[in-house]
Amino acid sequence: MPQIDRRQALKLLAALGAAGVAAACGSEDSADSEPQLSDDPVRIGLVAPLTGPLKVIGDDLVHGFQLYLQLNQNRLGGHPVQLVTADEAQGLKTAVDNLLQQSVLALTGVAGSAALPSVRDTIEGATVPLLATNGVPGSLQGVLYIWSASFVDSDPSQALGGYLTGVVPRSQRVAVVAPTDDTGRDAVDKFRQAFGATDARLIQTLWTDAAVAPDKDFFLPTLDELKSSDADVVYAFYTGPAAVEFVKEYRSEGLNAKIYAPGGFTEGTALQDMGEDAEGIFTAMNYSADLNNAANRLFATAYQREHDLLPSASAMASYDAAQVLDRAIRLCGGSPTAQQINLMLGRVGQVDSPRGTWQFNQPRTPQQKWYLREVRLDGQVLSNVLLSELATLG
């Protein structure tokens, strides 16, 4: 997989300026029919944690969507956009109800995938499409009005399980650590299935309570068990503050087994909070800021210029959700309805994305490539550095 030094590339492209990036994006869309400009606005609802421990993910979701609008004259499908937000931290059902009462034509966002099933009936009853941008449970694949612009929660587990079964020596031992909620159990099932559930190298699965922001020493009992197992490789299924606390305790207890995890384990400020403790952690993700393609060079440059940090996979997925809505609304023509947009989401075809080209599959989730990354020093800063492709899933 070709790579670039991300900092050199972003510095070289920084001189483009917002107008230059917008022009370049416009030229890439020229293969599609040009939208007819309209003065009739479309109202889009964005659900994200604007407060609380997951606010850092919420910021990424807001920034990614807003960046696409900034680069496209604040229009989707030729219509000016009224973007309204609701705080997911106040309860996902409350946030969704709030936005539906404002007559939005589509919803996007949602940081906490575990809560998505709680709004399934609400979304289906309202017949308003929701494009999730931070993972969806496998149980929601194929739901008529719920789409994923990111991934299915268990995909990174499947990608890493298939990879590790081919690279872990026969003499080594693999342990799994995960929260005992539906998302964690589904991820473990996928990992074990991909690795080989009866493989003798797979020795133990350790469960913890599910906690968004666990207290200090939360993982110590589990880590004591992990020490006793003499595992050489650990797959840990955590994200955000839980991943940060896991790594801090893991290092302080002196464990040395290699850590593999879903991409969210070291995304965004979680990597900053882990600091040097994160070095050498491997993750599977559908995006890396150093992917060498034209769409990513444009996106990553504009994002870093706007926010002074590299974009996360959540920011990228939110950017793509805006791009997909742009195309779907364009296909509607005239005055789009929520039902028309939902229908046209299935007809947007291939998406030229910073992650690489992808498209919706029949269950309304992405068919896309997955990548292996390692936390390494990139210049003076620790980064998720792209190593290779893992698999195409979906």
Side-chain angles (χ1 to χ4, degrees):
M1 164 64 67
Q3 298 181 35
I4 59 172
D5 183 315
R6 76 185 76 189
R7 301 190 192 286
Q8 290 182 355
L10 295 178
K11 286 178 181 178
L12 287 172
L13 287 166
L16 283 173
V21 175
C25 288
S27 66
E28 288 183 352
D29 280 344
S30 62
D32 299 331
S33 59
E34 290 295 327
Q36 293 184 354
L37 296 183
S38 170
D39 292 330
D40 297 329
V42 292
R43 183 171 296 166
I44 306 297
L46 196 157
V47 183
L50 307 178
T51 57
L54 296 183
K55 182 180 182 298
V56 291
I57 299 175
D59 290 342
D60 288 346
L61 299 181
V62 173
H63 293 161
F65 201 94
Q66 287 179 335
L67 180 60
Y68 186 87
L69 295 180
Q70 290 170 16
L71 300 181
N72 290 274
Q73 296 78 50
N74 196 49
R75 288 178 178 270
L76 295 178
H79 296 261
V81 175
Q82 295 176 352
L83 183 65
V84 290
T85 60
D87 188 0
E88 184 179 343
Q90 304 304 314
L92 181 57
K93 180 70 162 56
T94 299
V96 167
D97 286 342
N98 180 10
L99 293 173
L100 289 175
Q101 289 169 8
Q102 298 182 60
S103 302
V104 296
L105 289 180
L107 295 163
T108 187
V110 184
S113 66
L116 270 171
S118 69
V119 296
R120 170 179 176 162
D121 291 344
T122 299
I123 296 297
E124 293 289 278
T127 64
V128 173
L130 165 64
L131 282 115
T133 51
N134 198 44
V136 297
S139 61
L140 293 185
Q141 288 180 278
V143 174
L144 187 60
Y145 279 86
I146 296 179
W147 303 73
S148 171
S150 52
F151 54 87
V152 178
D153 286 330
S154 60
D155 280 353
S157 301
Q158 182 176 348
L160 275 179
Y163 168 75
L164 287 175
T165 194
V167 300
V168 174
R170 287 289 163 188
S171 60
Q172 292 192 353
R173 300 151 67 87
V174 179
V176 179
V177 187
T180 181
D181 56 10
D182 290 343
T183 302
R185 290 188 176 279
D186 190 33
V188 170
D189 286 345
K190 286 292 185 180
F191 181 86
R192 292 177 61 87
Q193 179 183 347
F195 187 87
T198 61
D199 194 306
R201 293 170 295 176
L202 193 57
I203 58 168
Q204 195 170 18
T205 298
L206 301 175
W207 300 101
T208 67
D209 290 337
V212 173
D215 296 331
K216 185 179 179 181
D217 299 337
F218 176 87
F219 291 103
L220 286 185
T222 304
L223 295 177
D224 285 341
E225 291 187 69
L226 197 55
K227 282 182 184 178
S228 301
S229 73
D230 291 326
D232 302 284
V233 174
V234 173
Y235 180 56
F237 188 80
Y238 299 98
T239 59
V244 173
E245 185 60 31
F246 179 87
V247 170
K248 287 181 176 179
E249 295 182 33
Y250 188 93
R251 299 304 190 199
S252 68
E253 289 299 299
L255 280 82
N256 296 314
K258 290 182 179 178
I259 297 176
Y260 289 81
F265 196 86
T266 58
E267 281 284 295
T269 58
L271 181 57
Q272 301 170 22
D273 294 340
M274 291 176 190
E276 62 183 11
D277 286 342
E279 193 164 3
I281 293 175
F282 296 87
T283 59
M285 201 57 179
N286 60 349
Y287 175 70
S288 176
D290 58 357
L291 276 169
N292 188 9
N293 63 63
N296 188 48
R297 289 193 294 271
L298 294 171
F299 166 68
T301 300
Y303 194 93
Q304 188 181 46
R305 182 175 53 246
E306 188 74 20
H307 301 291
D308 196 28
L309 78 165
L310 294 170
S312 68
S314 297
M316 176 279 300
S318 194
Y319 177 90
D320 270 4
Q323 180 178 189
V324 166
L325 283 171
D326 187 8
R327 295 187 176 196
I329 293 170
R330 182 179 310 185
L331 287 170
C332 289
S335 299
T337 66
Q339 295 81 7
Q340 288 173 336
I341 292 172
N342 192 69
L343 178 64
M344 293 306 167
L345 284 171
R347 301 182 185 179
V348 298
Q350 290 191 335
V351 181
D352 186 13
S353 163
R355 76 185 84 175
T357 302
W358 66 274
Q359 62 187 17
F360 286 119
N361 56 23
Q362 189 172 3
R364 290 168 162 72
T365 58
Q367 183 182 55
Q368 61 189 335
K369 291 180 180 178
W370 284 84
Y371 305 96
L372 181 67
R373 313 179 307 182
E374 182 183 6
V375 178
R376 295 178 177 176
L377 278 173
D378 184 16
Q380 299 293 319
V381 180
L382 284 172
S383 301
N384 291 297
V385 176
L386 177 67
L387 297 182
S388 64
E389 291 180 15
L390 284 174
T392 296
L393 300 178

